[in-house]
Amino acid sequence: MTAQPSPSQPPAAPREQWSTKTAFILATLGSAVGLGNIWRFSYVAGDNGGGAFLLVYLGAVLLLGLPLLLAEFSLGRSCQGDVGHAFRRAAPRSPLRHFGMLAVLGSTLILSYYSVIAGWTLSYLTDYLLGLLLPQQSGDHGKRFQNLIADPVEPLFWHFLFMAITVWVVMAGVRGGLERLSRLVMPLLGVTVVGLAIYAMSLPGSAAGVAFLLSPDWSALSDPAVYLAALGQAFFSLSLAMGVLVTYGGYLGREHRLPSAAGAVATGDVLFAIIAGLAIFPAVFAFGMAPAQGPVLAFVVLPQVFSTMPGGSGVALAFFFLLAAAALTSAVSLLEVPVAWAMRVLALSRRQATLLLGATVFLLGVPSSLGFGPWESVQLAGRGILDTIDHAVSNFLLPVAGSGLALLVGWVWSEREAIAEADLVEGFWARLWLILLRYIIPCAILLILLRSLGLL
Ligand code: TRP
């Protein structure tokens, strides 16, 4: 694809913009807070030393996540364009300019399977709404989940529905769609997750769940896998490296300061993950269940817990609302990346671009969904289709794209330009930020990569 208009020319049409800085922060937080926070974080934390993991995770967010967040925001706001435009404009002669395209393709791919999982949450939400899943049928939840994901048609219907809602929001534009959704949903999510955590921690026997999540197992700190798990989780959870933050930054006016916005998003995302963990594990332990991994935790173990819990239907509804709504605000951010790109490069209207990419994402997601049913025999290294893509994304695509971003802002931009674009002032913090981008982050990412390729 050729660059048009030429990299030095700004896009012709007047650009859409967030109405306020708060709207920008809420929308970015909406992207960050998603399926990754609600069960991935809890499980990874519990599995990697609890409170000790938490410390390493906080370190990863502070040293890697926050500087990259600021770098993405700066790049986006300075270029006022989609991620393809931003990379080409910032680095017209460096091979790093192609990383913008990587982000466009990557976000499309991530959304294709993210939407399949989000579709499952819609199915549960609907069943709880219609009262079909309760009461008291504890033994059947594993079967119910298996039946759902193995069905050749039903999960595709939910995947389609979820993408249709996502398309509907993105089609309404930056203010009318993305901004409006986050203003509505984010406060609700905050209240829901805090309410669920308070309820879960008030259950008798819940203390063991709090301990599972928070009590530090210091011996975990000597295991290199813990650091790598923390890095991967930080990238996924903060929506880094796939152009979401560049694209969202591109809708921000110059008058708004970036460092405080980056700090607010990182803090909000971490807090949300911890509080979600305090909602999940105390409940699981209070009912004598064993915490399980990934999808099984949310779709089998928790429904089992809800079916025996006093007031379980209400709690289940709140929980699946939380999952579906958090997934939606993340999905719209993932779709916005290729949509913004297609509007410029293919000269499409927002409506055309959204429909085209929504349909593409739906079709791309079909194999991921069928991989749990009719195409179950398609396996790569023991993983099904969805897991294979997810694994390739988090262990390869995100690290590679993230280091491209750090190198671009750290090395291709001049020091003065980078510091000015990030709204920093020459001094300790600006130095530290540049050192992290130039040396520490690329090296840390190289480490993740070598490790995940089994070379370390
Ligand atoms: N951060 C979201 C979550 O925690 C998922 C997500 C949205 C994402 N945009 C992304 C992950 C970009 C990686 C890259 O669920």
Side-chain angles (χ1 to χ4, degrees):
M1 199 61 64
T2 51
Q4 36 162 265
S6 84
S8 53
Q9 253 175 294
R15 288 201 40 88
E16 298 176 81
Q17 277 204 345
W18 306 111
S19 56
T20 61
K21 183 173 166 182
T22 312
F24 165 67
I25 292 176
L26 278 181
T28 312
L29 201 56
S31 169
V33 170
L35 298 173
N37 298 60
I38 298 175
W39 83 70
R40 193 175 192 273
F41 172 81
S42 312
Y43 173 73
V44 175
D47 200 40
N48 284 283
F53 174 85
L54 210 60
L55 282 184
V56 181
Y57 181 69
L58 290 179
V61 168
L62 273 179
L63 291 178
L64 300 147
L66 196 55
L68 272 178
L69 221 102
L70 186 56
E72 279 206 42
F73 282 170
S74 315
L75 184 63
R77 194 191 54 179
S78 123
C79 298
Q80 294 285 307
D82 64 275
V83 62
H85 170 76
F87 271 79
R88 280 182 177 273
R89 210 188 102 156
R93 277 174 301 277
S94 149
L96 289 171
R97 67 181 183 280
H98 299 298
F99 278 66
M101 253 346 268
L102 195 67
V104 170
L105 296 174
S107 49
T108 311
L109 189 67
I110 295 179
L111 183 54
S112 74
Y113 71 87
Y114 200 80
S115 167
V116 171
I117 304 175
W120 301 342
T121 71
L122 285 185
S123 154
Y124 275 75
L125 183 62
T126 314
D127 273 7
Y128 280 115
L129 267 175
L130 300 177
L132 294 178
L133 222 74
L134 289 176
Q136 330 307 345
Q137 18 156 279
S138 14
D140 293 334
H141 291 285
K143 239 190 18 226
R144 188 226 178 258
F145 182 54
Q146 200 46 45
N147 286 344
L148 169 69
I149 63 175
D151 193 272
V153 182
E154 199 190 334
L156 289 179
F157 166 76
W158 296 112
H159 167 47
F160 181 85
L161 184 67
F162 184 80
M163 276 316 297
I165 302 172
T166 306
V167 162
W168 177 64
V169 175
V170 173
M171 217 181 315
V174 172
R175 279 195 196 180
L178 306 177
E179 180 175 325
R180 209 141 129 226
L181 177 76
S182 348
R183 278 185 192 275
L184 183 78
V185 164
M186 294 316 288
L188 269 178
L189 284 191
V191 173
T192 310
V193 79
V194 169
L196 283 175
I198 293 175
Y199 178 75
M201 289 194 293
S202 72
L203 295 167
S206 60
V210 179
F212 177 77
L213 184 65
L214 296 183
S215 71
D217 166 13
W218 298 114
S219 67
L221 290 184
S222 59
D223 179 1
V226 167
Y227 297 86
L228 298 166
L231 293 179
Q233 174 62 19
F235 264 60
F236 192 89
S237 188
L238 292 171
S239 301
L240 281 173
M242 284 293 109
V244 168
L245 309 168
V246 174
T247 307
Y248 275 23
Y251 298 130
L252 189 66
R254 295 211 163 267
E255 65 280 14
H256 303 295
R257 308 271 109 194
L258 294 179
S260 59
V265 171
T267 312
D269 189 60
V270 169
L271 274 181
F272 199 98
I274 296 176
I275 299 173
L278 290 176
I280 292 173
F281 288 112
V284 168
F285 278 80
F287 288 89
M289 305 274 186
Q293 182 179 359
V296 171
L297 178 61
F299 294 104
V300 179
V301 176
L302 284 177
Q304 250 153 29
V305 168
F306 299 144
S307 65
T308 29
M309 179 187 263
S313 353
V315 178
L317 257 179
F319 179 76
F320 282 102
F321 161 77
L322 185 72
L323 267 182
L328 183 62
T329 53
S330 299
V332 296
S333 77
L334 283 164
L335 187 59
E336 180 64 21
V337 173
V339 163
W341 172 84
M343 282 165 62
R344 176 181 60 89
V345 173
L346 310 177
L348 299 177
S349 68
R350 174 170 279 277
R351 194 187 155 79
Q352 290 165 330
T354 315
L355 285 173
L356 175 75
L357 279 148
T360 309
V361 168
F362 171 73
L363 291 176
L364 270 178
V366 168
S368 288
S369 181
L370 294 182
F372 294 98
W375 294 2
E376 205 176 8
S377 56
V378 185
Q379 302 251 337
L380 202 75
R383 292 193 186 88
I385 300 173
L386 190 149
D387 287 339
T388 303
I389 303 177
D390 180 47
H391 195 253
V393 161
S394 41
N395 290 293
F396 187 72
L397 194 62
L398 291 183
V400 168
S403 47
L405 184 84
L407 294 173
L408 184 138
V409 173
W411 294 103
V412 177
W413 265 357
S414 73
E415 266 183 44
R416 244 195 340 175
E417 196 181 3
I419 293 175
E421 292 296 352
D423 300 326
L424 292 169
V425 282
E426 182 58 63
F428 175 76
W429 295 111
R431 288 281 115 211
L432 180 65
W433 182 59
L434 283 173
I435 291 174
L436 288 168
L437 287 182
R438 289 182 163 177
Y439 308 104
I440 314 263
I441 294 175
C443 290
I445 288 172
L446 190 68
L447 217 73
I448 306 184
L449 236 121
L450 292 178
R451 169 85 191 192
S452 67
L453 295 174
L455 299 175
L456 204 74

